[in-house]
Amino acid sequence: MNIILIGYRATGKTTLARLLAEKLGWEWIDADVVIEQRAGKSIARIFAENGEKAFRDLEAEVTAELCRRDHLVLAAGGGAPMREETRRRMRESGHVVWLTASPETIHARMSGDATTATRRPSLTQKGALEEIVHLLGQRTPVYQETAHLVVDTEGKTPEQIACEILQALPVQPVAEGSA
């Protein structure tokens, strides 16, 4: 049984993966970090040098591998659920939680993150806020289809969000000595 966090960039997937894993005594992984380690370069460089399809293929491969684990909190890439096979694997692997925020909040969070520009490529030729609105328009139906639980992150602390998720899901901490 796993918890898979999905949603757009800057909705709190990595922060919450770490916090939920700590509370449950589970492992946590950010899929984007695994992808970068495997490729030996940033996601932005993968896009620039190999193209989006190569990135999405690697993302699907890594996500499939991670979904085979147990007692894992996975921070999935924002576009990972866009492939039907990946959506199926996520849902079969455990509880899929869609973290939401308004486009304006996402934009503000991304603007405040110094690593966004160097690690994450622009996916369209639009301005940042326009791109967020555009991609959320495409991804929202897919996120809705994939998620077992939807959690709005607006105006909440990571601790509040983690508690909300744990109250809603039938998951248990790993017993001492059995991890």
Side-chain angles (χ1 to χ4, degrees):
M1 181 57 59
N2 298 312
I3 297 174
I4 299 96
L5 303 176
I6 65 170
Y8 202 81
R9 297 175 188 172
T11 54
K13 297 183 302 281
T14 301
T15 299
L16 284 159
R18 184 182 309 115
L19 188 54
L20 289 166
E22 181 181 296
K23 289 178 175 297
L24 292 167
W26 293 11
E27 182 182 9
W28 74 275
I29 293 178
D30 182 328
D32 285 347
V33 171
V34 175
I35 291 165
E36 289 178 331
Q37 289 170 343
R38 188 161 300 173
K41 52 189 159 187
S42 71
I43 291 170
R45 276 193 52 212
I46 297 169
F47 267 75
E49 295 173 8
N50 307 99
E52 183 172 2
K53 183 183 181 321
F55 169 77
R56 296 296 176 198
D57 290 345
L58 180 56
E59 179 179 57
E61 177 186 310
V62 166
T63 303
E65 287 174 21
L66 295 173
C67 283
R68 286 193 286 272
R69 294 171 99 164
D70 193 27
H71 293 107
L72 174 70
V73 184
L74 174 61
M82 298 307 288
R83 287 193 176 179
E84 184 177 346
E85 178 68 13
T86 302
R87 287 193 299 278
R88 185 187 60 74
R89 287 179 195 266
M90 288 176 169
R91 288 185 59 83
E92 290 172 355
S93 170
H95 303 286
V96 181
V97 179
W98 173 24
L99 302 176
T100 68
S102 71
E104 294 77 16
T105 296
I106 291 169
H107 182 257
R109 290 175 182 170
M110 286 172 57
S111 298
D113 179 5
T115 66
T116 293
T118 57
R119 288 187 60 216
R120 304 289 191 265
S122 176
L123 300 176
T124 67
Q125 299 302 312
K126 302 175 184 308
L129 184 57
E130 285 179 276
E131 177 174 288
I132 294 165
V133 170
H134 174 75
L135 290 174
L136 279 175
Q138 292 178 337
R139 293 178 180 182
T140 292
V142 174
Y143 290 155
Q144 286 173 329
E145 174 190 327
T146 309
H148 295 104
L149 176 66
V150 180
V151 177
D152 183 358
T153 65
E154 293 280 339
K156 298 175 189 168
T157 66
E159 184 70 31
Q160 290 169 322
I161 298 164
C163 288
E164 184 177 336
I165 292 168
L166 293 175
Q167 288 173 356
L169 297 181
V171 295
Q172 297 296 317
V174 173
E176 288 291 321
S178 66

